[in-house]
Amino acid sequence: MNKVQFLQEKSSYHITYPDRTDLSFYRWFTENHPDLAVGWYHLGMERERLGNEDQALEAYRRGLHLPADDFSEQLRDAYHDLLRKRRRTMWKRTTRLLLASLLFLFGQFVYSPSPLTEPKESASPESVVPAHLQRPHVEVIAVPGNVSRSQLRSQVEAYAAARRPSLKQPYIVLAVPEVAGAPLFTPLLFYRPAEVRGLLRYDPVSRTVLQDVWFDQACDCLDKPAVQNARSALAEEQRALEQVLILRNALYRTYQQKGYLPESLDRLAGSYPANSLPEVPVPTPESGLTAWPYYPALFRPESAWESMQNVLPLQGYPEPFIPLQPLQIQVHQAGHTMTLASGPHVVRRYPIGIGKNGSTPEGYFTIQKKINRPEGHDHIYGSRGLVFQSDGYAIHGTNQPDSIGKSMSLGCIRLHNPDVEELYTFAATGTEVIISDRTPPVSQWANPGPYVLAAGPEEETRGVTYHWLH
């Protein structure tokens, strides 16, 4: 359907129902023509105009999963424009909140002779986590490299007081040297610090510093028990966040593709081609959990991603200050780099190989199939394959590791085999893939310890020889 035909449909609808709004028409049209991108595009634009950005994004995403037509490019542009707008708004809001809090705390420290205190508040029943599930919370933040120990202590203490007023348990802030491209004094959820400038353990209820250690120069500081303990607690929390993010993304992508959530988490790990995940992540023994809780009855289609916090809650730790978002694979061809992102959070960074002579397509795609040990001559595809376009394009491993960082393939994206196995673990079918010639916003990153779920023979396609554009 072209634009003229669409407008004729709209005119006929309003003649028949003169009291109904444009939004009513767009809803009616998408219900009756769910396979036409034009309806989803206009529904998203109208929802965005009315201020319903979450619902607008959902409409754009529904349209982007359809076969390409005359409106696909407009849909893609509208989707990314709204994502950029939301990121700018979020960072501005976060910056304003932090600056206001820092100014308030500065005034309190200057004019008040005694430490800041406030009466304890009783936690609401919804926020209470059993004591045996509460785990030490650690936040990693990058700090400027040209400040003294005393200045650093003051800044990090102000950050702790301003950033987490809702927490009821003591937590640790681990200060690390500035990360190129990453914002300062902002939680880096999935960053593994090689060096630290210091740490601060803070009680948000009494607003007091329980412990702090600072260093004139950044160091690994492994001889300091406090740093060792903080690193161990951070690694455990990162693993919990990774597992929850993997499951929430898989559930969300399942809803996008099927319109409903699975009855149980086990349904996410079926045989090919129903292998959204290779396995269902199992919490660590230290967490006190035997499995992640799952409450599909709490799902709300009108706020599909946001309701995932209730559908699959993060037990033992606070939800991130800057919320998690659905996973997205971002391919930066200019730097031969791939970023696995959750909104503004970098989850993983991988070096990649891409197509020669611009043969890797730019644009918006989704993971369509996941294959364990895809068959090709001489194990050319490595240990895993994730198809993102039906005519031969895939993200896969390689038997030529020296091709990573170069433009040598016929269009596919190559990763080292350990990296593609980890990506295969995180990226459920339906996960978005955005390929562009842009450079990554964060130029350096240190991934946490690898997390790979075992893929089994039920995810193989034995007897099928692939001819991807490797």
Side-chain angles (χ1 to χ4, degrees), residues 269-290:
S271 301
Y272 173 88
N275 55 329
S276 187
L277 297 177
E279 292 181 337
V280 175
V282 177
T284 62
E286 294 81 6
S287 69
L289 297 169
T290 57

Side-chain angles (χ1 to χ4, degrees), residues 119-175:
K120 296 182 179 181
E121 299 177 0
S122 59
S124 63
E126 294 82 1
S127 64
V128 173
V129 176
H132 72 283
L133 293 182
Q134 292 177 351
R135 310 298 301 160
H137 170 54
V138 181
E139 291 189 3
V140 175
I141 61 170
V143 298
N146 57 348
V147 295
S148 66
R149 289 171 61 173
S150 60
Q151 289 175 319
L152 185 58
R153 183 190 191 281
S154 177
Q155 291 173 359
V156 174
E157 184 175 350
Y159 163 88
R163 193 59 126 182
R164 285 294 185 177
S166 62
L167 294 184
K168 305 302 179 185
Q169 300 294 328
Y171 66 101
I172 295 171
V173 179
L174 194 61

